[in-house]
Short mmCIF file of all heavy atoms in Angstrom, two decimals:
data_model
loop_
_atom_site.label_atom_id
_atom_site.label_comp_id
_atom_site.label_asym_id
_atom_site.label_seq_id
_atom_site.Cartn_x
_atom_site.Cartn_y
_atom_site.Cartn_z
N PHE A 26 6.65 8.26 7.40
CA PHE A 26 5.25 7.88 7.58
C PHE A 26 4.96 6.42 7.26
O PHE A 26 3.80 6.03 7.22
CB PHE A 26 4.35 8.77 6.72
CG PHE A 26 4.22 10.17 7.23
CD1 PHE A 26 4.62 11.23 6.45
CD2 PHE A 26 3.70 10.44 8.49
CE1 PHE A 26 4.50 12.54 6.90
CE2 PHE A 26 3.57 11.72 8.95
CZ PHE A 26 3.98 12.79 8.16
N ILE A 87 0.66 1.18 0.69
CA ILE A 87 0.90 2.04 -0.47
C ILE A 87 2.11 2.92 -0.20
O ILE A 87 2.35 3.33 0.94
CB ILE A 87 -0.34 2.89 -0.81
CG1 ILE A 87 -0.10 3.73 -2.08
CG2 ILE A 87 -0.77 3.73 0.37
CD1 ILE A 87 -1.33 4.47 -2.58
N PHE A 103 -5.55 3.68 -6.26
CA PHE A 103 -6.76 3.25 -5.54
C PHE A 103 -7.93 2.99 -6.48
O PHE A 103 -8.69 2.05 -6.26
CB PHE A 103 -7.15 4.27 -4.47
CG PHE A 103 -6.46 4.03 -3.16
CD1 PHE A 103 -5.50 4.92 -2.71
CD2 PHE A 103 -6.77 2.94 -2.38
CE1 PHE A 103 -4.85 4.70 -1.51
CE2 PHE A 103 -6.14 2.71 -1.17
CZ PHE A 103 -5.17 3.60 -0.73
N LEU A 120 -6.63 -0.82 5.89
CA LEU A 120 -5.27 -0.33 6.04
C LEU A 120 -5.13 0.35 7.39
O LEU A 120 -6.12 0.61 8.07
CB LEU A 120 -4.92 0.64 4.90
CG LEU A 120 -5.83 1.85 4.66
CD1 LEU A 120 -5.50 2.99 5.60
CD2 LEU A 120 -5.70 2.31 3.23
N THR A 121 -3.89 0.61 7.76
CA THR A 121 -3.61 1.46 8.92
C THR A 121 -2.74 2.61 8.44
O THR A 121 -2.02 2.49 7.44
CB THR A 121 -2.89 0.70 10.06
OG1 THR A 121 -1.63 0.23 9.60
CG2 THR A 121 -3.74 -0.45 10.58
N VAL A 122 -2.83 3.72 9.17
CA VAL A 122 -2.07 4.91 8.81
C VAL A 122 -1.65 5.63 10.08
O VAL A 122 -2.42 5.66 11.06
CB VAL A 122 -2.89 5.83 7.87
CG1 VAL A 122 -4.20 6.26 8.51
CG2 VAL A 122 -2.08 7.03 7.41
N ILE A 123 -0.45 6.16 10.09
CA ILE A 123 0.02 6.94 11.24
C ILE A 123 -0.89 8.15 11.39
O ILE A 123 -1.20 8.85 10.42
CB ILE A 123 1.49 7.36 11.04
CG1 ILE A 123 2.38 6.10 11.01
CG2 ILE A 123 1.94 8.31 12.14
CD1 ILE A 123 3.83 6.37 10.63
N ASN A 125 -0.79 11.16 12.29
CA ASN A 125 -0.46 12.52 11.85
C ASN A 125 -0.05 12.59 10.38
O ASN A 125 0.43 13.62 9.92
CB ASN A 125 0.62 13.14 12.75
CG ASN A 125 1.94 12.39 12.69
OD1 ASN A 125 2.01 11.29 12.18
ND2 ASN A 125 2.98 12.99 13.23
N ASN A 126 -0.31 11.56 9.63
CA ASN A 126 -0.04 11.56 8.19
C ASN A 126 -1.27 12.13 7.47
O ASN A 126 -2.06 11.42 6.85
CB ASN A 126 0.29 10.15 7.69
CG ASN A 126 0.79 10.13 6.27
OD1 ASN A 126 0.71 11.12 5.55
ND2 ASN A 126 1.32 8.99 5.85
N GLU A 127 -1.42 13.43 7.58
CA GLU A 127 -2.63 14.10 7.09
C GLU A 127 -2.83 13.96 5.60
O GLU A 127 -3.96 13.81 5.12
CB GLU A 127 -2.58 15.57 7.50
CG GLU A 127 -2.64 15.78 9.00
CD GLU A 127 -2.44 17.22 9.43
OE1 GLU A 127 -2.49 18.12 8.56
OE2 GLU A 127 -2.24 17.43 10.63
N GLN A 128 -1.76 13.99 4.82
CA GLN A 128 -1.88 13.87 3.37
C GLN A 128 -2.45 12.50 2.99
O GLN A 128 -3.35 12.40 2.15
CB GLN A 128 -0.53 14.11 2.70
CG GLN A 128 -0.60 14.22 1.20
CD GLN A 128 0.75 14.60 0.57
OE1 GLN A 128 1.79 14.57 1.22
NE2 GLN A 128 0.73 14.94 -0.70
N ALA A 129 -1.95 11.44 3.63
CA ALA A 129 -2.44 10.10 3.33
C ALA A 129 -3.89 9.94 3.80
O ALA A 129 -4.73 9.39 3.07
CB ALA A 129 -1.56 9.05 4.00
N ILE A 130 -4.21 10.44 4.98
CA ILE A 130 -5.58 10.33 5.50
C ILE A 130 -6.55 11.04 4.56
O ILE A 130 -7.63 10.53 4.26
CB ILE A 130 -5.66 10.87 6.94
CG1 ILE A 130 -4.86 9.97 7.88
CG2 ILE A 130 -7.11 10.99 7.40
CD1 ILE A 130 -4.61 10.56 9.25
N HIS A 131 -6.16 12.20 4.07
CA HIS A 131 -6.99 12.94 3.11
C HIS A 131 -7.24 12.09 1.86
O HIS A 131 -8.38 11.99 1.37
CB HIS A 131 -6.34 14.27 2.75
CG HIS A 131 -7.07 15.02 1.69
ND1 HIS A 131 -8.23 15.73 1.96
CD2 HIS A 131 -6.83 15.15 0.36
CE1 HIS A 131 -8.66 16.27 0.82
NE2 HIS A 131 -7.84 15.94 -0.15
N LEU A 132 -6.19 11.46 1.33
CA LEU A 132 -6.33 10.60 0.15
C LEU A 132 -7.28 9.44 0.45
O LEU A 132 -8.19 9.16 -0.34
CB LEU A 132 -4.97 10.07 -0.29
CG LEU A 132 -5.00 8.97 -1.36
CD1 LEU A 132 -5.57 9.50 -2.68
CD2 LEU A 132 -3.62 8.38 -1.56
N TYR A 133 -7.07 8.77 1.57
CA TYR A 133 -7.88 7.60 1.89
C TYR A 133 -9.35 7.98 2.03
O TYR A 133 -10.24 7.28 1.52
CB TYR A 133 -7.38 6.91 3.16
CG TYR A 133 -5.93 6.49 3.10
CD1 TYR A 133 -5.17 6.38 4.27
CD2 TYR A 133 -5.28 6.23 1.90
CE1 TYR A 133 -3.84 6.01 4.23
CE2 TYR A 133 -3.94 5.86 1.85
CZ TYR A 133 -3.23 5.75 3.02
OH TYR A 133 -1.91 5.38 2.98
N LYS A 134 -9.63 9.09 2.69
CA LYS A 134 -11.03 9.53 2.82
C LYS A 134 -11.61 9.89 1.46
O LYS A 134 -12.76 9.55 1.15
CB LYS A 134 -11.11 10.73 3.78
CG LYS A 134 -10.94 10.33 5.24
CD LYS A 134 -11.06 11.54 6.15
CE LYS A 134 -10.96 11.12 7.60
NZ LYS A 134 -11.06 12.28 8.52
N LYS A 135 -10.82 10.55 0.63
CA LYS A 135 -11.26 10.90 -0.72
C LYS A 135 -11.62 9.64 -1.52
O LYS A 135 -12.55 9.65 -2.33
CB LYS A 135 -10.17 11.69 -1.44
CG LYS A 135 -10.52 12.11 -2.87
CD LYS A 135 -9.43 12.94 -3.49
CE LYS A 135 -8.54 12.06 -4.32
NZ LYS A 135 -7.59 12.78 -5.16
N MET A 136 -10.89 8.55 -1.26
CA MET A 136 -11.11 7.32 -1.99
C MET A 136 -12.18 6.44 -1.34
O MET A 136 -12.39 5.31 -1.75
CB MET A 136 -9.79 6.54 -2.12
CG MET A 136 -8.70 7.30 -2.88
SD MET A 136 -9.22 8.07 -4.44
CE MET A 136 -9.79 6.69 -5.39
N MET A 160 -8.51 2.06 9.06
CA MET A 160 -9.44 2.57 8.07
C MET A 160 -9.85 1.43 7.13
O MET A 160 -9.07 0.50 6.90
CB MET A 160 -8.82 3.72 7.26
CG MET A 160 -8.46 4.93 8.11
SD MET A 160 -7.82 6.32 7.14
CE MET A 160 -9.38 6.99 6.51
#
Side-chain angles (χ1 to χ4, degrees):
F26 287 120
I87 183 172
F103 273 111
L120 55 82
T121 62
V122 58
I123 295 172
N125 63 347
N126 189 348
E127 295 173 13
Q128 189 174 12
I130 293 167
H131 175 77
L132 170 65
Y133 303 154
K134 286 181 177 179
K135 180 177 96 170
M136 299 313 300
M160 297 183 79

